[in-house]
Amino acid sequence: MNKKLVSGIVFFIFCVIVSFGIQLKSSTLYNQAVAKIDQVEISNNQQEISATKMNGKDKGDTVHLTADYRKNELDTVDYSKGEQVFYSHNKVDEKKRDGYVFFMIASLLFTLIFVGGKSGVTTFISVVLNSAALFLIVNVYRSYTNISLVIFTAIYTVLSIAITLFLIDGIKKDSLQKFFATFLTVFSAFFICLIAMEFYQDEGLRFEDMGVLTRPYRPIFLSGLLVGAIGASLDTVVSVVSTLEEIERKNPAVTLNQLVRSGKRVGQDVSSTMVNVLICSYFSSAIPMMLVYLHNGWLFGETVSMLLSLEVVRVLCGGFGILLSIPFSLLFFQISRRGVRQ
């Protein structure tokens, strides 16, 4: 049997064992009270729970807990015998899931390493660093609310692109061309949407869902547009440029004109699927609320206008990012290949 496959099986079994160990035995490591459910009874929209304490001085004692209950589980959780929960003041706070979280993270890391090797590890690290950078930017904005969030997000955009590309590829000519292509693509797509919103004065956009914000809603929406354009643009740029680099590596005799034509065909194929991915990703979250509105007598056009106007702009921004990334990728690829026979 392949050594890599054997290592994968062993690691998977190890992750399962460790995950169950964490889930079952880590209760004593928490300061918050943890209990294991022994019995659950539902009465008058409330779950009456009998459980055993898993930590603290009175570990092993029985405790009576309560939790709200709704059959559709819209804003409540249905608890079952054998599950562990955090609680305070005899009321359940949430389920204990640390073992399952460990298993998911370990499985993701293993898959990245198994499929991508060294680049898989750097991909995982880049995801962690990008997430940390985003949380840091948002946290800093809380202390400097007099500065527009768009400025902070623009800084994060540059950092995110740099972290993703330079960590995976290193700082070299190929990664620099991807960086500048992605940078120009993201900001070009963003400014196209911004100019259109300014020209039409946000007509047709329904910001009601953002009404709970205590900050001006428009800069926050624009910041979301900018962040949303990163993934789509970066993916397309890397797909096009990396494909051309691989063709060039396998066939050194290929001409620059042939590479550009191949890049156009790759870009066309990638863009068609990526735009559909954007539509499915953004619109899918609105389906539950669309059903609620339609079943309460709203007209279809009114429902779409209310729930999807902002999503349409997000799709357009991402779509512009995907489409613009093709010419920008080919432009910087050609610049970096000056002197190569045409």
Side-chain angles (χ1 to χ4, degrees), residues 48-100:
E48 303 291 339
I49 300 171
S50 177
T52 302
K53 296 182 179 180
M54 300 294 291
N55 60 357
K57 296 180 179 179
D58 49 358
K59 177 182 177 181
D61 290 353
T62 300
V63 61
H64 181 265
L65 307 173
T66 61
D68 295 332
Y69 174 78
R70 290 179 182 80
K71 190 174 181 179
N72 60 9
E73 297 187 51
L74 179 63
D75 57 353
T76 63
V77 177
D78 188 7
Y79 297 100
S80 304
K81 179 180 178 180
E83 293 179 334
Q84 295 185 36
V85 295
F86 294 104
Y87 69 94
S88 58
H89 306 295
N90 293 96
K91 191 171 182 65
V92 175
D93 293 328
E94 61 178 328
K95 289 184 180 180
K96 178 176 173 292
R97 302 183 177 93
D98 49 1
Y100 306 133

Side-chain angles (χ1 to χ4, degrees), residues 38 43 48 262:
D38 299 319
S43 176
E48 303 291 339
S262 297

Side-chain angles (χ1 to χ4, degrees), residues 249-263:
R249 190 178 298 112
K250 296 295 184 181
N251 182 16
V254 67
T255 65
L256 182 58
N257 289 334
Q258 290 174 325
L259 286 171
V260 171
R261 286 196 296 270
S262 297

Side-chain angles (χ1 to χ4, degrees), residues 33-331:
V34 181
K36 182 178 180 180
I37 297 176
D38 299 319
Q39 185 177 357
V40 180
E41 293 183 359
I42 299 174
S43 176
N44 297 325
N45 292 329
Q46 190 172 56
Q47 299 176 80
E48 303 291 339
I49 300 171
S50 177
T52 302
K53 296 182 179 180
M54 300 294 291
N55 60 357
K57 296 180 179 179
D58 49 358
K59 177 182 177 181
D61 290 353
T62 300
V63 61
H64 181 265
L65 307 173
T66 61
D68 295 332
Y69 174 78
R70 290 179 182 80
K71 190 174 181 179
N72 60 9
E73 297 187 51
L74 179 63
D75 57 353
T76 63
V77 177
D78 188 7
Y79 297 100
S80 304
K81 179 180 178 180
E83 293 179 334
Q84 295 185 36
V85 295
F86 294 104
Y87 69 94
S88 58
H89 306 295
N90 293 96
K91 191 171 182 65
V92 175
D93 293 328
E94 61 178 328
K95 289 184 180 180
K96 178 176 173 292
R97 302 183 177 93
D98 49 1
Y100 306 133
V101 172
F102 170 83
F103 178 76
M104 295 301 297
I105 294 175
S107 298
L108 174 62
L109 179 59
F110 164 71
T111 304
L112 288 171
I113 296 173
F114 189 80
V115 175
K118 181 181 177 181
S119 63
V121 178
T122 54
T123 299
F124 183 82
I125 295 173
S126 69
V127 170
V128 174
L129 292 178
N130 279 326
S131 301
L134 181 59
F135 289 127
L136 177 62
I137 289 292
V138 172
N139 194 48
V140 171
Y141 168 69
R142 292 174 59 192
S143 303
Y144 298 93
T145 53
N146 57 314
I147 303 175
S148 174
L149 180 59
V150 177
I151 296 176
F152 287 102
T153 309
I155 296 172
Y156 168 76
T157 299
V158 178
L159 287 175
S160 177
I161 297 171
I163 289 171
T164 303
L165 292 175
F166 297 149
L167 188 61
I168 294 175
D169 291 343
I171 301 177
K172 52 186 181 181
K173 183 175 70 173
D174 292 339
S175 56
L176 284 172
Q177 69 180 3
K178 294 175 186 175
F179 173 81
F180 287 115
T182 306
F183 175 85
L184 287 177
T185 298
V186 171
F187 282 96
S188 296
F190 171 75
F191 280 113
I192 288 173
C193 291
L194 177 60
I195 292 170
M197 290 174 63
E198 292 287 349
F199 181 80
Y200 289 106
Q201 299 182 343
D202 297 342
E203 184 178 350
L205 297 181
R206 307 295 295 268
F207 292 99
E208 282 85 345
D209 286 345
M210 305 179 71
V212 296
L213 295 173
T214 57
R215 301 282 187 271
Y217 57 83
R218 200 169 188 270
I220 295 176
F221 174 70
L222 292 174
S223 299
L225 282 184
L226 194 53
V227 174
I230 298 174
S233 303
L234 185 59
D235 184 73
T236 310
V237 168
V238 172
S239 297
V240 172
V241 177
S242 296
T243 300
L244 298 185
E245 290 172 350
E246 185 64 19
I247 294 173
E248 189 178 39
R249 190 178 298 112
K250 296 295 184 181
N251 182 16
V254 67
T255 65
L256 182 58
N257 289 334
Q258 290 174 325
L259 286 171
V260 171
R261 286 196 296 270
S262 297
K264 289 179 180 178
R265 286 194 292 269
V266 171
Q268 290 169 356
D269 291 339
V270 171
S271 62
S272 61
T273 55
M274 283 295 296
V275 170
N276 280 287
V277 168
L278 281 180
I279 293 174
C280 294
S281 299
Y282 282 121
F283 288 179
S284 61
S285 60
I287 291 176
M289 289 307 299
M290 285 185 68
L291 294 175
V292 171
Y293 276 62
L294 292 172
H295 282 294
N296 281 276
W298 281 59
L299 298 177
F300 183 79
E302 295 175 335
T303 302
V304 170
S305 174
M306 173 63 73
L307 299 177
L308 297 183
S309 61
L310 300 183
E311 305 299 337
V312 168
V313 178
R314 293 187 179 104
V315 170
L316 288 174
C317 187
F320 280 124
I322 292 170
L323 297 175
L324 291 173
S325 62
I326 300 169
F328 279 128
S329 299
L330 296 176
L331 172 63

